[in-house]
Amino acid sequence: MNTRAVNTEHHRIVIVGGGSAGISVAARLFNALKHPDVAIIEPSEDHYYQPLWTLVGGGVFRKERSRRAEKAFIPQGATWIKERVTELCPNENKVITDGNRTIEYDYLILAAGIQIDWGRIKGLEGHLRQGGLCTNYAYDQCEGTWDTIRNFTGGDAIFTQPSSAIKCGGAPQKIMYLADDHFRKTHVRDKSTITFISGTPSIFSVKEYAQVLNQVIQRKGIDTLYKHDLVEIRPESHEAVFRSLETGNEVVKHYDMMHVTPFMSAPDFIKRSPFAQTA
Ligand SMILES: Cc1cc2nc3c(=O)[nH]c(=O)nc-3n(C[C@H](O)[C@H](O)[C@H](O)COP(=O)(O)OP(=O)(O)OC[C@H]3O[C@@H](n4cnc5c(N)ncnc54)[C@H](O)[C@@H]3O)c2cc1C
């Protein structure tokens, strides 16, 4: 039997990832091309509109509103390959999937999003949604943020941002402002401190926005600590360990609630690939 015929297929354009970027590009291609031959490689049956997770964490929406069937976004005529890419072989114009299939292409579009590295903060995994710890950075976690905010009765509230690249540079702050608003409405703000602790050197990387945001945090009485990454959580003692990016020294902070923005990086299969090695 010819195994190549069974396990190999070719498409003029291959898109890896059917998230917001992948499906947007696919839609554009189907509008622009006369005879598009486009394959989308996406393992998930569901599409997640992640920006909504901030509002789920703020108590505005249920998380189910952010999830839709992926098939509703695959353009008619596109080939949907429901597998995960495990290897990129740009020198041979092909990718390999976890189903052991080889997909060849003329053009490749990489849209696999950004990977969340939960394990880089010691003590985080297994402790979310309890003891005041929460995050908006996963479908199954964002409702836990709202539970944490609405059950907060005062104390030290910390909101973190790592020094790594993250998706949506504003999300670590947006949930903090929503929490501040809720704490004021429920009269717990005057019994609380709010601190924004970030690995970044300032409140925002764009100077014009930073100027305005600095006024916002001053007006809201929010404290800040920059150039410090959250590296460890000690849930039993409600302590968070931050490491200075300048000195390497560690600072231990007490928290009663903490919204964690985890470290993120390129997906492993891209890190391992020749694309990363030549970048
Ligand atoms: C809490 C939160 C709030 C946000 N708020 C905003 C906002 O207000 N405004 C804004 O513009 N953005 C916001 N964002 C960011 C926005 O959601 C992302 O920028 C956007 O989802 C990126 O789209 P993407 O397609 O690149 O990645 P994703 O939407 O993450 O999609 C990546 C897709 O690739 C697939 N994939 C991964 N690995 C593989 C593989 N090996 N093989 C095949 N497929 C693979 C995944 O299954 C997934 O479907 C927010 C994000 C979060 C988490």
Side-chain angles (χ1 to χ4, degrees), residues 148-150 152-153 157 159 176 178-190 192-194 257:
T148 305
I149 289 172
R150 69 193 174 91
F152 186 64
T153 53
F159 293 80
M176 176 170 71
L178 289 169
D180 172 82
D181 183 59
H182 185 75
F183 297 161
R184 286 174 197 277
K185 280 184 187 144
T186 51
H187 309 291
V188 295
R189 183 64 181 94
D190 52 0
S192 312
T193 64
I194 297 183
M257 77 145 279

PDB file of all heavy atoms in Angstrom, residues 148-150 152-153 157 159 176 178-190 192-194 257:
ATOM      1  N   THR A 148     -13.947  34.912  43.687  1.00  0.00           N
ATOM      2  CA  THR A 148     -12.950  35.467  44.608  1.00  0.00           C
ATOM      3  C   THR A 148     -13.250  36.934  44.901  1.00  0.00           C
ATOM      4  O   THR A 148     -13.211  37.373  46.058  1.00  0.00           O
ATOM      5  CB  THR A 148     -11.536  35.325  43.996  1.00  0.00           C
ATOM      6  OG1 THR A 148     -11.324  33.956  43.667  1.00  0.00           O
ATOM      7  CG2 THR A 148     -10.460  35.780  44.963  1.00  0.00           C
ATOM      8  N   ILE A 149     -13.577  37.697  43.860  1.00  0.00           N
ATOM      9  CA  ILE A 149     -13.832  39.132  44.039  1.00  0.00           C
ATOM     10  C   ILE A 149     -15.092  39.357  44.879  1.00  0.00           C
ATOM     11  O   ILE A 149     -15.109  40.152  45.817  1.00  0.00           O
ATOM     12  CB  ILE A 149     -13.946  39.825  42.656  1.00  0.00           C
ATOM     13  CG1 ILE A 149     -12.565  39.878  41.994  1.00  0.00           C
ATOM     14  CG2 ILE A 149     -14.551  41.228  42.780  1.00  0.00           C
ATOM     15  CD1 ILE A 149     -12.575  40.357  40.550  1.00  0.00           C
ATOM     16  N   ARG A 150     -16.151  38.611  44.560  1.00  0.00           N
ATOM     17  CA  ARG A 150     -17.403  38.907  45.281  1.00  0.00           C
ATOM     18  C   ARG A 150     -17.390  38.375  46.709  1.00  0.00           C
ATOM     19  O   ARG A 150     -18.146  38.848  47.550  1.00  0.00           O
ATOM     20  CB  ARG A 150     -18.621  38.431  44.495  1.00  0.00           C
ATOM     21  CG  ARG A 150     -18.797  36.953  44.368  1.00  0.00           C
ATOM     22  CD  ARG A 150     -19.845  36.636  43.310  1.00  0.00           C
ATOM     23  NE  ARG A 150     -19.910  35.204  43.090  1.00  0.00           N
ATOM     24  CZ  ARG A 150     -20.726  34.397  43.743  1.00  0.00           C
ATOM     25  NH1 ARG A 150     -21.560  34.870  44.623  1.00  0.00           N
ATOM     26  NH2 ARG A 150     -20.706  33.108  43.507  1.00  0.00           N
ATOM     27  N   PHE A 152     -14.676  38.584  48.598  1.00  0.00           N
ATOM     28  CA  PHE A 152     -13.607  39.313  49.301  1.00  0.00           C
ATOM     29  C   PHE A 152     -14.231  40.252  50.336  1.00  0.00           C
ATOM     30  O   PHE A 152     -15.105  41.054  50.012  1.00  0.00           O
ATOM     31  CB  PHE A 152     -12.809  40.106  48.262  1.00  0.00           C
ATOM     32  CG  PHE A 152     -11.585  40.796  48.792  1.00  0.00           C
ATOM     33  CD1 PHE A 152     -10.515  40.072  49.298  1.00  0.00           C
ATOM     34  CD2 PHE A 152     -11.491  42.186  48.756  1.00  0.00           C
ATOM     35  CE1 PHE A 152      -9.376  40.718  49.767  1.00  0.00           C
ATOM     36  CE2 PHE A 152     -10.357  42.839  49.215  1.00  0.00           C
ATOM     37  CZ  PHE A 152      -9.297  42.099  49.726  1.00  0.00           C
ATOM     38  N   THR A 153     -13.767  40.136  51.564  1.00  0.00           N
ATOM     39  CA  THR A 153     -14.362  40.976  52.618  1.00  0.00           C
ATOM     40  C   THR A 153     -13.382  42.030  53.124  1.00  0.00           C
ATOM     41  O   THR A 153     -13.595  42.651  54.159  1.00  0.00           O
ATOM     42  CB  THR A 153     -14.829  40.099  53.804  1.00  0.00           C
ATOM     43  OG1 THR A 153     -13.720  39.289  54.221  1.00  0.00           O
ATOM     44  CG2 THR A 153     -16.000  39.219  53.422  1.00  0.00           C
ATOM     45  N   ALA A 157      -5.250  42.898  48.447  1.00  0.00           N
ATOM     46  CA  ALA A 157      -5.535  42.333  47.121  1.00  0.00           C
ATOM     47  C   ALA A 157      -4.361  42.658  46.200  1.00  0.00           C
ATOM     48  O   ALA A 157      -3.943  43.814  46.093  1.00  0.00           O
ATOM     49  CB  ALA A 157      -6.820  42.921  46.559  1.00  0.00           C
ATOM     50  N   PHE A 159      -2.633  42.106  42.259  1.00  0.00           N
ATOM     51  CA  PHE A 159      -2.853  41.763  40.851  1.00  0.00           C
ATOM     52  C   PHE A 159      -1.480  41.737  40.188  1.00  0.00           C
ATOM     53  O   PHE A 159      -0.720  42.698  40.316  1.00  0.00           O
ATOM     54  CB  PHE A 159      -3.774  42.796  40.187  1.00  0.00           C
ATOM     55  CG  PHE A 159      -5.165  42.748  40.756  1.00  0.00           C
ATOM     56  CD1 PHE A 159      -5.451  43.370  41.966  1.00  0.00           C
ATOM     57  CD2 PHE A 159      -6.165  42.046  40.117  1.00  0.00           C
ATOM     58  CE1 PHE A 159      -6.724  43.303  42.520  1.00  0.00           C
ATOM     59  CE2 PHE A 159      -7.450  41.972  40.661  1.00  0.00           C
ATOM     60  CZ  PHE A 159      -7.726  42.602  41.867  1.00  0.00           C
ATOM     61  N   MET A 176      -8.282  44.314  37.580  1.00  0.00           N
ATOM     62  CA  MET A 176      -8.021  45.053  38.825  1.00  0.00           C
ATOM     63  C   MET A 176      -8.983  46.240  38.962  1.00  0.00           C
ATOM     64  O   MET A 176      -9.522  46.495  40.052  1.00  0.00           O
ATOM     65  CB  MET A 176      -6.566  45.538  38.815  1.00  0.00           C
ATOM     66  CG  MET A 176      -6.166  46.398  39.982  1.00  0.00           C
ATOM     67  SD  MET A 176      -4.388  46.663  40.001  1.00  0.00           S
ATOM     68  CE  MET A 176      -4.166  47.754  38.593  1.00  0.00           C
ATOM     69  N   LEU A 178     -11.946  46.468  37.562  1.00  0.00           N
ATOM     70  CA  LEU A 178     -13.292  45.927  37.811  1.00  0.00           C
ATOM     71  C   LEU A 178     -13.438  45.528  39.276  1.00  0.00           C
ATOM     72  O   LEU A 178     -14.481  45.750  39.902  1.00  0.00           O
ATOM     73  CB  LEU A 178     -13.555  44.714  36.899  1.00  0.00           C
ATOM     74  CG  LEU A 178     -13.753  45.030  35.413  1.00  0.00           C
ATOM     75  CD1 LEU A 178     -13.735  43.744  34.583  1.00  0.00           C
ATOM     76  CD2 LEU A 178     -15.061  45.769  35.182  1.00  0.00           C
ATOM     77  N   ALA A 179     -12.372  44.931  39.836  1.00  0.00           N
ATOM     78  CA  ALA A 179     -12.407  44.531  41.249  1.00  0.00           C
ATOM     79  C   ALA A 179     -12.513  45.771  42.142  1.00  0.00           C
ATOM     80  O   ALA A 179     -13.326  45.812  43.074  1.00  0.00           O
ATOM     81  CB  ALA A 179     -11.152  43.729  41.598  1.00  0.00           C
ATOM     82  N   ASP A 180     -11.717  46.786  41.838  1.00  0.00           N
ATOM     83  CA  ASP A 180     -11.752  48.035  42.619  1.00  0.00           C
ATOM     84  C   ASP A 180     -13.172  48.606  42.635  1.00  0.00           C
ATOM     85  O   ASP A 180     -13.690  49.015  43.680  1.00  0.00           O
ATOM     86  CB  ASP A 180     -10.768  49.035  41.997  1.00  0.00           C
ATOM     87  CG  ASP A 180     -10.879  50.415  42.615  1.00  0.00           C
ATOM     88  OD1 ASP A 180     -10.282  50.635  43.684  1.00  0.00           O
ATOM     89  OD2 ASP A 180     -11.584  51.269  42.031  1.00  0.00           O
ATOM     90  N   ASP A 181     -13.799  48.598  41.468  1.00  0.00           N
ATOM     91  CA  ASP A 181     -15.168  49.122  41.353  1.00  0.00           C
ATOM     92  C   ASP A 181     -16.122  48.319  42.242  1.00  0.00           C
ATOM     93  O   ASP A 181     -16.935  48.890  42.970  1.00  0.00           O
ATOM     94  CB  ASP A 181     -15.592  49.039  39.878  1.00  0.00           C
ATOM     95  CG  ASP A 181     -16.964  49.627  39.659  1.00  0.00           C
ATOM     96  OD1 ASP A 181     -17.143  50.813  39.972  1.00  0.00           O
ATOM     97  OD2 ASP A 181     -17.866  48.888  39.209  1.00  0.00           O
ATOM     98  N   HIS A 182     -15.986  46.977  42.192  1.00  0.00           N
ATOM     99  CA  HIS A 182     -16.873  46.134  43.001  1.00  0.00           C
ATOM    100  C   HIS A 182     -16.610  46.346  44.494  1.00  0.00           C
ATOM    101  O   HIS A 182     -17.560  46.422  45.289  1.00  0.00           O
ATOM    102  CB  HIS A 182     -16.682  44.662  42.628  1.00  0.00           C
ATOM    103  CG  HIS A 182     -17.644  43.763  43.332  1.00  0.00           C
ATOM    104  ND1 HIS A 182     -18.978  43.673  42.987  1.00  0.00           N
ATOM    105  CD2 HIS A 182     -17.478  42.947  44.410  1.00  0.00           C
ATOM    106  CE1 HIS A 182     -19.587  42.831  43.799  1.00  0.00           C
ATOM    107  NE2 HIS A 182     -18.704  42.375  44.670  1.00  0.00           N
ATOM    108  N   PHE A 183     -15.335  46.461  44.863  1.00  0.00           N
ATOM    109  CA  PHE A 183     -15.004  46.664  46.287  1.00  0.00           C
ATOM    110  C   PHE A 183     -15.608  47.984  46.798  1.00  0.00           C
ATOM    111  O   PHE A 183     -16.015  48.081  47.951  1.00  0.00           O
ATOM    112  CB  PHE A 183     -13.483  46.692  46.498  1.00  0.00           C
ATOM    113  CG  PHE A 183     -12.773  45.403  46.145  1.00  0.00           C
ATOM    114  CD1 PHE A 183     -11.396  45.396  45.912  1.00  0.00           C
ATOM    115  CD2 PHE A 183     -13.461  44.199  46.055  1.00  0.00           C
ATOM    116  CE1 PHE A 183     -10.734  44.222  45.595  1.00  0.00           C
ATOM    117  CE2 PHE A 183     -12.802  43.014  45.727  1.00  0.00           C
ATOM    118  CZ  PHE A 183     -11.435  43.029  45.490  1.00  0.00           C
ATOM    119  N   ARG A 184     -15.642  48.997  45.929  1.00  0.00           N
ATOM    120  CA  ARG A 184     -16.237  50.285  46.349  1.00  0.00           C
ATOM    121  C   ARG A 184     -17.744  50.136  46.534  1.00  0.00           C
ATOM    122  O   ARG A 184     -18.316  50.627  47.511  1.00  0.00           O
ATOM    123  CB  ARG A 184     -15.934  51.380  45.319  1.00  0.00           C
ATOM    124  CG  ARG A 184     -14.489  51.843  45.382  1.00  0.00           C
ATOM    125  CD  ARG A 184     -14.114  52.822  44.278  1.00  0.00           C
ATOM    126  NE  ARG A 184     -12.660  52.889  44.180  1.00  0.00           N
ATOM    127  CZ  ARG A 184     -11.888  53.643  44.959  1.00  0.00           C
ATOM    128  NH1 ARG A 184     -12.426  54.425  45.861  1.00  0.00           N
ATOM    129  NH2 ARG A 184     -10.576  53.621  44.821  1.00  0.00           N
ATOM    130  N   LYS A 185     -18.376  49.440  45.572  1.00  0.00           N
ATOM    131  CA  LYS A 185     -19.842  49.268  45.652  1.00  0.00           C
ATOM    132  C   LYS A 185     -20.237  48.482  46.892  1.00  0.00           C
ATOM    133  O   LYS A 185     -21.309  48.682  47.447  1.00  0.00           O
ATOM    134  CB  LYS A 185     -20.339  48.530  44.408  1.00  0.00           C
ATOM    135  CG  LYS A 185     -20.473  49.426  43.190  1.00  0.00           C
ATOM    136  CD  LYS A 185     -21.070  48.645  42.029  1.00  0.00           C
ATOM    137  CE  LYS A 185     -21.045  49.477  40.770  1.00  0.00           C
ATOM    138  NZ  LYS A 185     -20.792  48.672  39.585  1.00  0.00           N
ATOM    139  N   THR A 186     -19.387  47.531  47.287  1.00  0.00           N
ATOM    140  CA  THR A 186     -19.757  46.660  48.412  1.00  0.00           C
ATOM    141  C   THR A 186     -19.101  47.117  49.724  1.00  0.00           C
ATOM    142  O   THR A 186     -19.104  46.374  50.712  1.00  0.00           O
ATOM    143  CB  THR A 186     -19.365  45.195  48.106  1.00  0.00           C
ATOM    144  OG1 THR A 186     -17.987  45.165  47.703  1.00  0.00           O
ATOM    145  CG2 THR A 186     -20.219  44.608  46.998  1.00  0.00           C
ATOM    146  N   HIS A 187     -18.523  48.325  49.697  1.00  0.00           N
ATOM    147  CA  HIS A 187     -17.958  48.956  50.903  1.00  0.00           C
ATOM    148  C   HIS A 187     -16.815  48.163  51.527  1.00  0.00           C
ATOM    149  O   HIS A 187     -16.653  48.175  52.747  1.00  0.00           O
ATOM    150  CB  HIS A 187     -19.064  49.209  51.949  1.00  0.00           C
ATOM    151  CG  HIS A 187     -20.251  49.924  51.373  1.00  0.00           C
ATOM    152  ND1 HIS A 187     -20.198  51.239  50.970  1.00  0.00           N
ATOM    153  CD2 HIS A 187     -21.502  49.489  51.084  1.00  0.00           C
ATOM    154  CE1 HIS A 187     -21.371  51.589  50.463  1.00  0.00           C
ATOM    155  NE2 HIS A 187     -22.180  50.544  50.512  1.00  0.00           N
ATOM    156  N   VAL A 188     -16.047  47.447  50.711  1.00  0.00           N
ATOM    157  CA  VAL A 188     -14.860  46.784  51.274  1.00  0.00           C
ATOM    158  C   VAL A 188     -13.565  47.485  50.845  1.00  0.00           C
ATOM    159  O   VAL A 188     -12.495  47.183  51.354  1.00  0.00           O
ATOM    160  CB  VAL A 188     -14.759  45.271  50.917  1.00  0.00           C
ATOM    161  CG1 VAL A 188     -15.878  44.481  51.537  1.00  0.00           C
ATOM    162  CG2 VAL A 188     -14.697  45.056  49.428  1.00  0.00           C
ATOM    163  N   ARG A 189     -13.707  48.469  49.939  1.00  0.00           N
ATOM    164  CA  ARG A 189     -12.481  49.118  49.428  1.00  0.00           C
ATOM    165  C   ARG A 189     -11.720  49.839  50.538  1.00  0.00           C
ATOM    166  O   ARG A 189     -10.489  49.830  50.563  1.00  0.00           O
ATOM    167  CB  ARG A 189     -12.850  50.099  48.290  1.00  0.00           C
ATOM    168  CG  ARG A 189     -11.659  50.781  47.638  1.00  0.00           C
ATOM    169  CD  ARG A 189     -10.750  49.777  46.933  1.00  0.00           C
ATOM    170  NE  ARG A 189      -9.589  50.399  46.314  1.00  0.00           N
ATOM    171  CZ  ARG A 189      -8.400  50.509  46.905  1.00  0.00           C
ATOM    172  NH1 ARG A 189      -8.207  50.061  48.142  1.00  0.00           N
ATOM    173  NH2 ARG A 189      -7.382  51.068  46.274  1.00  0.00           N
ATOM    174  N   ASP A 190     -12.469  50.469  51.476  1.00  0.00           N
ATOM    175  CA  ASP A 190     -11.782  51.214  52.540  1.00  0.00           C
ATOM    176  C   ASP A 190     -11.186  50.284  53.602  1.00  0.00           C
ATOM    177  O   ASP A 190     -10.501  50.731  54.518  1.00  0.00           O
ATOM    178  CB  ASP A 190     -12.712  52.270  53.164  1.00  0.00           C
ATOM    179  CG  ASP A 190     -14.044  51.681  53.599  1.00  0.00           C
ATOM    180  OD1 ASP A 190     -14.233  50.464  53.416  1.00  0.00           O
ATOM    181  OD2 ASP A 190     -14.888  52.426  54.124  1.00  0.00           O
ATOM    182  N   SER A 192      -9.308  47.736  52.478  1.00  0.00           N
ATOM    183  CA  SER A 192      -8.427  46.942  51.612  1.00  0.00           C
ATOM    184  C   SER A 192      -7.270  47.755  51.056  1.00  0.00           C
ATOM    185  O   SER A 192      -7.368  48.974  50.920  1.00  0.00           O
ATOM    186  CB  SER A 192      -9.218  46.407  50.408  1.00  0.00           C
ATOM    187  OG  SER A 192     -10.423  45.837  50.813  1.00  0.00           O
ATOM    188  N   THR A 193      -6.201  47.027  50.701  1.00  0.00           N
ATOM    189  CA  THR A 193      -5.163  47.623  49.858  1.00  0.00           C
ATOM    190  C   THR A 193      -5.220  46.900  48.517  1.00  0.00           C
ATOM    191  O   THR A 193      -5.550  45.709  48.459  1.00  0.00           O
ATOM    192  CB  THR A 193      -3.752  47.422  50.445  1.00  0.00           C
ATOM    193  OG1 THR A 193      -3.457  46.018  50.459  1.00  0.00           O
ATOM    194  CG2 THR A 193      -3.645  47.985  51.858  1.00  0.00           C
ATOM    195  N   ILE A 194      -4.926  47.634  47.457  1.00  0.00           N
ATOM    196  CA  ILE A 194      -4.786  46.998  46.139  1.00  0.00           C
ATOM    197  C   ILE A 194      -3.382  47.323  45.643  1.00  0.00           C
ATOM    198  O   ILE A 194      -2.965  48.487  45.633  1.00  0.00           O
ATOM    199  CB  ILE A 194      -5.840  47.513  45.134  1.00  0.00           C
ATOM    200  CG1 ILE A 194      -7.259  47.162  45.609  1.00  0.00           C
ATOM    201  CG2 ILE A 194      -5.584  46.930  43.751  1.00  0.00           C
ATOM    202  CD1 ILE A 194      -8.362  47.567  44.639  1.00  0.00           C
ATOM    203  N   MET A 257      -6.331  38.133  48.651  1.00  0.00           N
ATOM    204  CA  MET A 257      -6.716  37.629  47.330  1.00  0.00           C
ATOM    205  C   MET A 257      -5.636  38.034  46.339  1.00  0.00           C
ATOM    206  O   MET A 257      -4.985  39.074  46.509  1.00  0.00           O
ATOM    207  CB  MET A 257      -8.100  38.122  46.882  1.00  0.00           C
ATOM    208  CG  MET A 257      -8.175  39.543  46.382  1.00  0.00           C
ATOM    209  SD  MET A 257      -9.390  39.761  45.030  1.00  0.00           S
ATOM    210  CE  MET A 257      -8.483  39.208  43.575  1.00  0.00           C
TER     211      MET A 257
END
